[in-house]
Amino acid sequence: MAPTPATGHLQLYTYFRSSCSWRVRIALEWKGIPYESIFVHLLKNEQNDEEYGQVNPMHQVPALVIDGQCLTQSLPIIEYLDDNFPDRPLLPKDPLQRFRVRQICEIIASAIQPMQNLAVLKMVSDYGGNKTDFAAFFIKKGLAAVEAILRETSGTYSVGDDVTMADACLVPQVASAERFNVDLEPYPNIRRICAALSELEPFKKAHAFAQDDCPDELRWSKL
Ligand SMILES: N[C@@H](CCC(=O)N[C@@H](CS)C(=O)NCC(=O)O)C(=O)O
């Protein structure tokens, strides 16, 4: 199916390693929607610049500027894209399947990602905690729950045989798990699905290591 042309110039405020930005990049690439990346360097704290606060008062990425609107929060952004660019849908029509997709997304977006977020981990360290152990605890708990759901819902991908928003959340989350040295052995369905997704061109293009703001030592095109 031919991708829907964009209605205007889209700008994505993004950081290569940000799992939330990565989700939106997957959705844009999946639908073949052209966009311009505006890089916000999280480790240089650019998200907390006053100027960026005008874009996203939460001082987080991603933010998507589309048709004069500035959208924040990755999951509503993906749903907005799905509504406005309905080709290659990321949400199933069947209500139960749609529920399963959102259920998986919610675990990743609400129960895992906030616990590995930069600002949260900085505070864990500031209070004397071990930030890697802290993040890994919540990643393992969340991935175990996702794995249990996938045993019932997955086909080739997370929910059935079509790529969905759940897959757009899963791939970046698994990359974060690897960064926090979480052993993925206990999650065979997650590993199988991510391997299948990694073969797809839109997932390759959206990958952290394919981004122009990725440092040369990690960037695929420079290796
Ligand atoms: N719920 C938000 C979370 C956004 C978020 O936490 N973004 C992270 C990167 S994945 C961020 O910008 N962190 C900056 C910080 O912690 O200072 C979404 O889904 O877009």
Side-chain angles (χ1 to χ4, degrees):
M1 199 184 298
T4 314
T7 54
H9 183 64
L10 277 72
Q11 292 176 310
L12 180 69
Y13 290 82
T14 174
Y15 179 63
F16 77 105
R17 225 167 205 163
S18 148
S19 62
C20 305
S21 306
W22 191 339
R23 294 171 196 160
V24 175
R25 294 197 303 260
I26 290 171
L28 289 165
E29 297 291 352
W30 182 252
K31 288 172 175 289
I33 305 170
Y35 65 98
E36 175 196 0
S37 296
I38 302 178
F39 300 119
V40 181
H41 200 306
L42 298 189
L43 296 183
K44 290 185 183 161
N45 209 26
E46 288 177 356
Q47 71 278 26
N48 287 315
D49 287 353
E50 212 178 305
E51 201 186 330
Y52 187 66
Q54 309 286 320
V55 176
N56 184 355
M58 276 299 287
H59 293 277
Q60 294 174 330
V61 287
L64 182 72
V65 180
I66 173 169
D67 293 335
Q69 301 290 322
C70 183
L71 312 181
T72 65
Q73 299 299 330
S74 58
L75 298 187
I77 291 173
I78 294 173
E79 295 217 13
Y80 181 88
L81 291 173
D82 216 40
D83 287 341
N84 285 282
F85 301 87
D87 280 356
R88 294 168 65 79
L90 286 165
L91 281 161
K93 290 251 177 302
D94 173 75
L96 182 60
Q97 287 219 319
R98 207 172 166 91
F99 166 81
R100 291 295 179 206
V101 168
R102 288 185 170 134
Q103 182 186 23
I104 293 166
C105 292
E106 191 65 21
I107 292 172
I108 294 171
S110 298
I112 308 180
Q113 186 275 332
M115 303 306 193
Q116 70 190 20
N117 196 26
L118 197 63
V120 171
L121 294 185
K122 183 178 179 312
M123 204 162 266
V124 169
S125 290
D126 289 351
Y127 278 93
N130 180 318
K131 64 180 183 179
T132 307
D133 288 353
F134 179 91
F137 173 84
F138 289 103
I139 293 171
K140 286 180 204 164
K141 185 175 180 196
L143 290 186
V146 170
E147 177 70 20
I149 295 169
L150 293 178
R151 277 199 284 276
E152 307 301 321
T153 62
S154 66
T156 309
Y157 305 118
S158 295
V159 178
D161 292 325
D162 292 323
V163 168
T164 65
M165 183 164 74
D167 300 306
C169 287
L170 188 63
V171 165
Q173 182 51 61
V174 166
S176 298
E178 285 170 334
R179 219 150 52 82
F180 286 101
N181 299 322
V182 170
D183 177 14
L184 296 175
E185 185 61 31
Y187 318 114
N189 285 293
I190 290 177
R191 284 189 283 115
R192 171 181 61 77
I193 292 161
C194 285
L197 291 164
S198 72
E199 299 295 318
L200 305 176
E201 206 51 37
F203 282 75
K204 289 182 188 167
K205 286 189 182 161
H207 196 284
F209 297 165
Q211 304 309 301
D212 285 346
D213 62 334
C214 176
D216 284 357
E217 63 273 19
L218 295 173
R219 203 158 139 206
W220 286 338
S221 64
K222 304 276 178 185
L223 295 179

